[in-house]
Amino acid sequence: MAPMAPLAQQAPSTYPVASLARRAAMALAAAAVLGGAAAPAAYAVDGADGAPAAGSPKKLPDGLYGTKDPQYDGVWRQSLALLAQHTVGVRPATSAVRWLVGQQCADGAFTAFRAEPGKPCDAKTMRDTNQTAAAVQALAALGGHDETVQKAVNWLKSVQNDDGGWSSMAGSPSDANSTSVVIGALAAAGAKPESVTSKKGGRTPYDGLLTFRLGCDVKEGERGAFTFQLKGAAANADATAAAATGALGKGFVVAPAGGAADTPVKPLSCKDGKADGKSGDKGPAAAAEGGAGYLVAQLDKSGHHLLSAMPGQEKQPDVGNTADAVVALAAGGHRSAAQQPLKWLEKNAAAWARQNGPAAYAQLVLAAHATGTDPRSFGGTDLVTALNATGPEPAGTTPGKDARAADAAEDSDGGVNVWWVVGVGLAVGAGIGFLLSGRRKKNDL
């Protein structure tokens, strides 16, 4: 891997964080891995006497989830944590919500982390559509933040690309993951995505998203998948999971199907280089269906989980993207297809979540929710209590909403979040499943 500058200094074409989709930061061994770039400073939770832990030069902001440097994923992990808590009936701490709201720039955008929120954002502030869209989904769900949400939505609309889509950074080429998470934000805020059109060309977010769909003109194993970007187009499971959800106009929270009929997965079927009519080849719903077919094929091939690999490293199970795939399948009504990867997560995701912290626990909570699974008994792990323990003590629970989550919330206390170190020492912030994997590797999965 070629040496890279710190993320905040990279040009838009190489900026790998939307994270992502969904999904991050360079720390610890990042200096060695990235050719000498300085690693982020350490953070620590206050000790019993209220002083920073020994050896830690900085104190975590009040209300922030997780205990590691939030420079690259602060808003992302905060948003997912708040959203997951709300989904299971936990009322987040006021300080946690206040921290997220305070990260917004005057123009409505969010960046990953502002150490001095009282200081106005300037031209050097790295505004990020993914962080902004995640914040919109969380604050819209919590309610009471209409002005903040509307300002963020207006900013997202202002940086929509001519093709109808978005990149993580305004002005860069659109990508499937960023476009998908913005679609989710628009829907959460009550703005119909299909009515949001680009200033030039009048293209909708769905128009932009479908440009990344691989059709009958690619090799059979890639048909129906989505690519991260058009340049160097290749089937990408991370992008496909995000796009299969976004194409249905849904965001991070997918309501469980309940008693609804189970929808069989219909992979994109081709004949003579064209869709044969059984699965269709037009429209967002058909694209989501084809994406689901690709995901199921990949899950079945690798043992009910998706795979990822850092450059030069062997492929390994990708827990975050598998969780996203479960949500995507549930969004399409494919309840049966979601069961095997869900069971794999129940058996294998606990250690990953402990290492990754808030966003990882949130991803699993949302996957459980989408499938109607109890997040307090997820393969023997109480995800709700574990999530609560990564941040300030919740304010309470929502009466009548997920009473079992309410019981778990009452027992939560402070906890520690440790980053997952991948391959040769690349430390990645929580939310890796969406934030980094698709943006960096863009390889066949």
Side-chain angles (χ1 to χ4, degrees):
M1 179 170 62
M4 298 173 64
L7 298 186
Q9 299 176 13
Q10 290 174 32
S13 62
T14 61
Y15 188 76
V17 173
S19 9
L20 341 300
R22 7 231 159 15
R23 26 192 15 287
M26 303 305 175
L28 303 177
V33 176
L34 300 185
Y43 282 74
V45 178
D46 284 350
D49 58 356
S56 222
K58 293 186 179 182
K59 177 184 175 182
L60 278 169
D62 182 44
L64 179 66
Y65 284 79
T67 60
K68 293 299 179 180
D69 192 338
Q71 184 176 356
Y72 304 116
D73 76 332
V75 165
W76 180 267
R77 76 194 195 205
Q78 191 84 353
S79 299
L80 289 185
L82 296 177
L83 189 58
Q85 285 184 321
H86 173 79
T87 299
V88 296
V90 175
R91 294 201 307 275
T94 300
S95 61
V97 180
R98 184 187 302 118
W99 182 89
L100 180 59
V101 172
Q103 290 293 300
Q104 187 175 43
C105 296
D107 60 6
F110 283 78
T111 186
F113 176 65
R114 296 172 62 200
E116 300 179 81
K119 182 179 179 181
C121 300
D122 57 23
K124 295 181 180 180
T125 302
M126 303 295 287
R127 294 162 173 81
D128 189 319
T129 65
N130 286 221
Q131 311 277 349
T132 302
V136 166
Q137 293 192 47
L139 295 174
L142 292 171
H145 303 280
D146 293 351
E147 182 178 353
T148 301
V149 168
Q150 191 56 56
K151 285 175 60 178
V153 168
N154 290 343
W155 180 79
L156 288 170
K157 290 179 179 179
S158 75
V159 295
Q160 184 179 22
N161 286 334
D162 291 343
D163 62 6
W166 285 265
S167 64
S168 61
M169 293 178 63
S172 297
S174 299
D175 65 75
N177 296 67
S178 298
T179 302
S180 298
V181 73
V182 173
I183 287 175
L186 294 173
K192 296 181 179 180
E194 63 272 19
S195 69
V196 178
T197 56
S198 59
K199 296 177 182 178
K200 182 178 180 181
R203 306 274 288 179
T204 72
Y206 296 119
D207 291 330
L209 184 60
L210 264 58
T211 63
F212 303 108
R213 185 196 187 195
L214 301 180
C216 293
D217 56 341
V218 300
K219 59 185 180 181
E220 185 173 354
E222 295 188 350
R223 293 171 183 170
F226 282 74
T227 183
F228 172 65
Q229 285 185 319
L230 295 179
K231 183 178 181 180
N236 184 287
D238 178 33
T240 304
T245 303
L248 296 173
K250 299 183 179 182
F252 298 138
V253 178
V254 170
D262 184 29
T263 304
V265 176
K266 298 178 181 178
L268 180 63
S269 180
C270 302
K271 183 177 181 180
D272 298 328
K274 297 181 179 180
D276 63 9
K278 295 181 180 180
S279 57
D281 64 344
K282 294 182 179 180
E289 188 72 37
Y294 172 79
L295 289 173
V296 169
Q298 298 306 303
L299 289 164
D300 289 345
K301 183 187 301 183
S302 59
H304 310 308
H305 58 77
L306 296 178
L307 294 171
S308 67
M310 295 302 295
Q313 302 297 308
E314 293 184 3
K315 290 186 176 182
Q316 57 186 310
D318 191 321
V319 183
N321 282 343
T322 300
D324 289 343
V326 168
V327 172
L329 293 173
H334 308 300
R335 292 190 295 165
S336 295
Q339 288 306 304
Q340 289 298 335
L342 178 69
K343 291 178 181 177
W344 183 87
L345 287 171
E346 289 183 302
K347 293 179 180 178
N348 298 280
W352 171 81
R354 283 195 300 272
Q355 292 172 324
N356 280 277
Y361 280 120
Q363 280 184 276
L364 296 178
V365 167
L366 295 174
H369 174 75
T371 56
T373 303
D374 185 0
R376 294 148 307 280
S377 181
F378 194 80
T381 298
D382 184 336
L383 298 175
V384 178
T385 296
L387 172 60
N388 292 345
T390 67
E393 183 176 359
T397 58
T398 302
K401 183 176 182 181
D402 207 327
R404 289 173 296 181
D407 293 338
E410 296 298 326
D411 296 329
S412 66
D413 54 16
V416 178
N417 163 35
V418 182
W419 286 0
W420 179 34
V421 179
V422 180
V424 294
L426 179 63
V428 188
I432 180 176
F434 185 79
L435 285 178
L436 252 192
S437 53
R439 291 141 184 76
R440 173 145 283 185
K441 52 183 182 281
K442 304 181 188 179
N443 62 325
D444 295 357
L445 297 179

